Structure formats: C-alpha cells, structure tokens
Amino acid sequence: MMGNYSDHKHEHAPSGPPSPVGHGGHRHANRHDNGRIFAIAIVLNITFVVVEFGYGFAANSTALVADAGHNLSDVLGLVLAWGAAILSRKAASERYTYGLRSTSILAALANATLLLVACGAIAWEAVHRFSQPPVISGLTLTVVATAGVIINGLSAWLLLKESKDDPNIRGAYLHMAADAAVSAGVVVSGIAIVLTGWFWLDPVISLIIITVVIYSTWGLFRDSVQLILSAVPAHIDIAAIDTYLRRQPGVMDVHDLHVWGLSTTESALTVHLVMPEGYPGDTFMDEIRNTLEVQYAIHHSTLQIEQGFVSHACHIK
C-alpha cells in the first residue's frame, strides 16, 4: 500500500477574500459586503419591530404582534448568521483544525429552531382569541403592515445576491422574503376589517402567518440537522462522485467514500482509491482534486491510494 495523499490547498487563512469557488463553481460574494448588508438589515428590522410591537398592542392586534414576534426572531437570526459568517473566517488551530467554519451550521439550526418555537407561542395566543375576537383598528393594522412590506422587501433585496451560494445567508433571505409576503397578507386583513368589521380575521391571519413561516423554515431546519449529523450536503451527488472516481485510469476500486459539510458553504471528502500500479503522481492527483472542487463542490479532499494487496475495510458501518 502506498502512503496517503491529501490536497494542500487549504483555505484556513483568517483574512483575505473567500474561496473563489462555490457550489458548482460559482463565486462567493465578498464577506465584507455581507457584513455591511447584515448591519443595514438588522438596523431596519429592529426599528420596525419596536414600531410594530407598539402599534400591535395599541391596536389590540395579534396579527401585528405575531408579525412583530416573527420579525424579532428574524433579527436574532440575522445576528446569528452575521456572527457565524465572522467566526467562519477564523484561522484553524491545534484544537479546531478546520477553524470555526461549522458555526454557520449552528447558526442556521438556531435560527430555524427559534422561529419554530415563536410560531408555537403565537399560534397558542391566536387560537384563544377565536372565542372572543377583540376590537381591532383595521386602519392601524393596514398602515403598519404596509411599512412591514417595505422594510422586509428591502432587507430581502439586500440579501438576495449573497444568498445564492450560502444556505446560512439564504435562510436569512428567505425569512425576509416570507416576512414581506406575510405583511402583505396583514395589509389585506386590515382592509377587510375596515370594510366588514370582521375582527375574527385577525387571529385567522395570525395562523396563516404561522403556516407560511413554518413552511419556509422547515427546509432550513431539516438541512441544518442533516449537516450537523455529517450527512452528504443536499447539493452534492455522491453517486456521481463515486462514478467519476471509478472511471479514472488505473483505479480498480473505490471504497470508504465519505462526504460531509464543513460549513454551510464548504464540503469535505475522504476516499480510498485502489490502484494496483501504485501512486500515479502529483499531477494526476491534483487533476482529481481540482475536478472535485470545480464540478462537484468539494473544497477539501483527502485521497488515500492502495494497491489492493491487503483488504482495508471501513470500521464505520
């Protein structure tokens, strides 16, 4: 058996631009721009949360309070996502040999969990209001919700470009976009209350809000849990990688193929290649590593060469 080969193009530097290759070869946005965008979105949404909570209580509207609670959880989610983006750039150490990249996964999971818990609390209050619908100022509901459409829509637009290659940022973008749609729904209910006096529409809209939020959050929660459990990231086709490796000249067999997420944007791979002729040379190995990075979104690959004279069974079953 020949020795191990590990690619040496690691990206653990604490400063400088991010990796130019993203999922499927796309470029990542500049992370300094991400920080500025996060700051703007957080300030806008904190201001709106304060205003919406105040008017929600004044108007006795669970729809406004529900939307404000959702926006508050989104602010916390934005802070978590921003913090994770900063920590993920920390250099590797003897203790954390991959750096703190996986904090982006923790942030995505915390964000999703926070939203689901908030939905449960708001749903409980809305259901109780069906028995005695309170008198609500439909005009106040409409005006404040209109402001929400503008603030959330602007925040979503700011995050749109940066969300394409990073699930951590994508989660924040989806929440902002969902908020804009939900606020539009609250505008409709406010107008309906003004025209009809049907105050029971307020808790109905609250439950609709919750349904939309849960629907938009569940995928993020599922993907985050899978990444924490070292599952193959959803955008990576491990079967295609296996086929590609088996087709390389000199490769007789492939085993112990493992792929997992280092963060919400970076993936790692380890694999054993059975090559009876022995080590094929650095150029051959570099070509495999580059293809794995560019075509299959594997940012850190470790390849072990075996001649097949001894069976090397994987102990992880």
Side-chain angles (χ1 to χ4, degrees):
M1 180 185 76
M2 303 298 290
N4 295 354
Y5 175 87
S6 175
D7 74 271
H8 299 289
K9 188 181 178 183
H10 298 208
E11 298 173 3
H12 299 319
S15 60
S19 168
V21 180
H23 304 330
H26 301 299
R27 291 182 176 273
H28 292 298
N30 186 289
R31 293 182 180 181
H32 297 295
D33 291 341
N34 287 346
R36 177 176 58 84
I37 290 171
F38 271 125
I40 294 172
I42 288 171
V43 170
L44 287 174
N45 280 273
I46 286 178
T47 302
F48 181 63
V49 164
V50 172
V51 172
E52 191 170 30
F53 262 125
Y55 276 99
F57 282 117
N60 204 21
S61 169
T62 55
L64 278 182
V65 173
D67 198 36
H70 179 208
N71 280 311
L72 177 60
S73 65
D74 279 349
V75 170
L76 297 178
L78 286 170
V79 172
L80 286 171
W82 188 10
I86 294 173
L87 289 175
S88 67
R89 299 200 301 270
K90 295 295 183 181
S93 65
E94 293 183 0
R95 179 73 172 175
Y96 299 98
T97 57
Y98 282 123
L100 297 176
R101 285 164 159 74
S102 59
T103 53
S104 61
I105 301 174
L106 294 175
L109 178 61
N111 193 356
T113 302
L114 183 65
L115 280 167
L116 293 175
V117 171
C119 285
I122 296 168
W124 179 265
E125 175 63 22
V127 169
H128 278 72
R129 288 213 169 191
F130 274 111
S131 58
Q132 291 182 332
V135 177
I136 298 166
S137 172
L139 180 60
T140 300
L141 193 68
T142 302
V143 172
V144 176
T146 300
V149 174
I150 296 171
I151 296 296
N152 292 319
L154 177 59
S155 299
W157 178 77
L158 289 172
L159 292 166
L160 175 60
K161 183 178 180 180
E162 286 71 22
S163 71
K164 294 179 180 178
D165 296 313
D166 188 347
N168 183 36
I169 299 178
R170 189 180 304 130
Y173 159 73
L174 288 174
H175 290 162
M176 294 296 102
D179 281 351
V182 165
S183 294
V186 175
V187 170
V188 173
S189 72
I191 294 174
I193 289 174
V194 170
L195 296 176
T196 65
W198 295 346
F199 299 115
W200 52 265
L201 286 173
D202 182 67
V204 168
I205 292 299
S206 298
L207 293 177
I208 293 175
I209 289 173
I210 291 166
T211 302
V212 172
V213 173
I214 290 176
Y215 178 80
S216 63
T217 302
W218 183 251
L220 178 64
F221 179 81
R222 180 198 60 223
D223 292 344
S224 301
V225 170
Q226 290 175 347
L227 285 174
I228 284 180
L229 295 176
S230 297
V232 177
H235 65 280
I236 292 178
D237 187 345
I238 193 170
I241 293 175
D242 183 84
T243 300
Y244 161 73
L245 293 172
R246 291 179 184 276
R247 289 178 176 174
Q248 298 312 298
V251 175
M252 299 299 295
D253 193 18
V254 173
H255 63 93
D256 290 357
L257 174 58
H258 301 287
V259 177
W260 69 99
L262 294 174
S263 68
T264 54
T265 60
E266 298 168 297
S267 301
L269 171 150
T270 60
V271 66
H272 293 204
L273 303 178
V274 179
M275 306 184 71
E277 298 301 321
Y279 182 65
D282 289 358
T283 300
F284 177 84
M285 303 300 281
D286 283 342
E287 289 177 355
I288 291 181
R289 179 190 61 77
N290 290 334
T291 300
L292 288 173
E293 183 175 10
V294 175
Q295 295 188 17
Y296 298 101
I298 302 296
H299 305 89
H300 178 97
S301 55
T302 303
L303 314 176
Q304 178 170 311
I305 304 302
E306 301 168 1
Q307 290 183 284
F309 301 147
V310 179
S311 176
H312 297 276
C314 180
H315 296 292
I316 301 177
K317 299 296 184 181

